[in-house]
Amino acid sequence: MPEELSLAASTTGARPADEGARGRFDRIYQTLRRRICLLDYAPDERLREEDLAEEFGVSRTPVRRVLVKLEAEGLLRSVHGVGTIVTDIEVGALAQVYELRVELAELVGKLSPVPVDDALKARFREIRQRCDSMVRKSDPREFARINMEFFHLFNSLTSNEPLRLVSERLYYQTTRIWLKTASRLREYEQLLNNEFVIFQREVADITEAVEQGDLVAAGHVRRAHISMSFSRIRQASESGTRRDDKPTGSAPPAHA
Amino acid sequence: MPEELSLAASTTGARPADEGARGRFDRIYQTLRRRICLLDYAPDERLREEDLAEEFGVSRTPVRRVLVKLEAEGLLRSVHGVGTIVTDIEVGALAQVYELRVELAELVGKLSPVPVDDALKARFREIRQRCDSMVRKSDPREFARINMEFFHLFNSLTSNEPLRLVSERLYYQTTRIWLKTASRLREYEQLLNNEFVIFQREVADITEAVEQGDLVAAGHVRRAHISMSFSRIRQASESGTRRDDKPTGSAPPAHA
DNA sequence: ACCCGTGTTGTTGTGCACAACATAAGAAAA
DNA sequence: TTTTCTTATGTTGTGCACAACAACACGGGT
């Protein structure tokens, strides 16, 4: 049972008890989505509605509500008489999502950019520091969490709400593949550290772009990193999908 | 009770009886979405789950499933104890959606374009003819339907499924504003005819671009038309929102 | 040994009754 | 007359029992 981080204490106040119907819904939704994206629920895993209902202390009905929404977002797939199955994602199909994410990342800097004030800069500086101090720990879960948090922060650079929503949707569709691919590799530790350093650099670059108020540049940096990130994932996936395979001569991504 | 056009006879065969759970779901979903976008359900109108359940010959439960999905797509808004309300859309908020749609339209021609074969060309020629013969009838409903159909055809120019899905979503969010704005204007007939002619030209241009296999050009044409369409809507909305207002000297869009 | 039909089990989908909630009307008091 | 509290009414949200459906195991036949 994974620890719950209150990533989005949004609507009311997110206290455990005493919450309206909408609060319950959001809470269950956020929780399940996070679990799916952090691979607490593995792809192709079957979820039982009744189990979830019991865990959250409600009946199946509100749980089904959440499942419908998650299915609409492509993270789940309910089949009558079979079960509710976590979507499996393969690099091939994800190529299209990444293609789109790349373009959208650039748009974040162009479409309705928010005014850059000190508070915003401070938030970037803060997450940059947290990112630096994280590199030492080398915890993939922690990395995924900060990555997620940074995404939300970057996404808040545009005031174009539809763009934010779409980007968020696509992000949650793709973010799983990273953990999935990485965990399959032989050079797990090495690759992980490599990704840490690269991400650290991305955060640093974008933070500085924001400091200068150049959101277009921030968008370009982000675009480049998303594109390169997928290239690394695809290479890694192609060269070492089976971890008990014979070692290939060329070490996949490796540092820089 | 609006006539039902079988726009997407997709999964099984869409015969009225004998359909699985998934077929029912899709049927109700498509129907409701169409009604919302064709303004059969006006913005801010309250829908009663029980009425819908009775109409479709099911209980409230499957209807609620559909409503949840429509709410997730921003077309509905369920409030506990109040009702299920059709989202109201104002030109101001829609500006952001259009900003995004404009960019995505261009991407349709760039990202994973489909190979242009004779069958595809034929479909464009066919819809172009239907469009030509429609201009005489001047039926706004018919226009909205062909517009919708053309959107789907244009959208099929990319094989990037996420892009198709996102575009579709945004299209259904914005398409209502056209009918809503147009119906408020004094120069209703004039404006309508103007829009017909413009749309006719758009279809012609894009069809020819497709004939030549230049999907990038098709994307640019589409982008330009979406952008201009919104400009006209905004102008019309600003100059003559109240139809019983004193007539302003400048006739809003007018032809050309 | 293999194949096919059948029952058994487990899951999601549906229907219905009730709770939670919001709104509006009405009555009582100032 | 105005205000405020109470009550009535209508809606969505929830819980639970059952139907529909798919996968699996088992047994009888070949």
Side-chain angles (χ1 to χ4, degrees), chain A residues 132-151:
Chain A
D132 289 345
S133 65
M134 174 210 66
V135 167
R136 276 179 282 280
K137 289 170 49 177
S138 274
D139 177 23
R141 247 189 103 80
E142 180 71 14
F143 172 75
R145 280 170 52 177
I146 290 201
N147 189 296
M148 193 178 296
E149 207 168 335
F150 179 73
F151 163 79

Side-chain angles (χ1 to χ4, degrees), chain B residues 129-148:
Chain B
Q129 282 188 351
R130 296 229 320 269
C131 184
D132 289 345
S133 64
M134 174 209 67
V135 167
R136 277 179 283 280
K137 289 170 52 177
S138 272
D139 177 24
R141 250 188 100 81
E142 179 71 14
F143 172 75
R145 279 169 53 176
I146 290 202
N147 190 294
M148 194 178 295

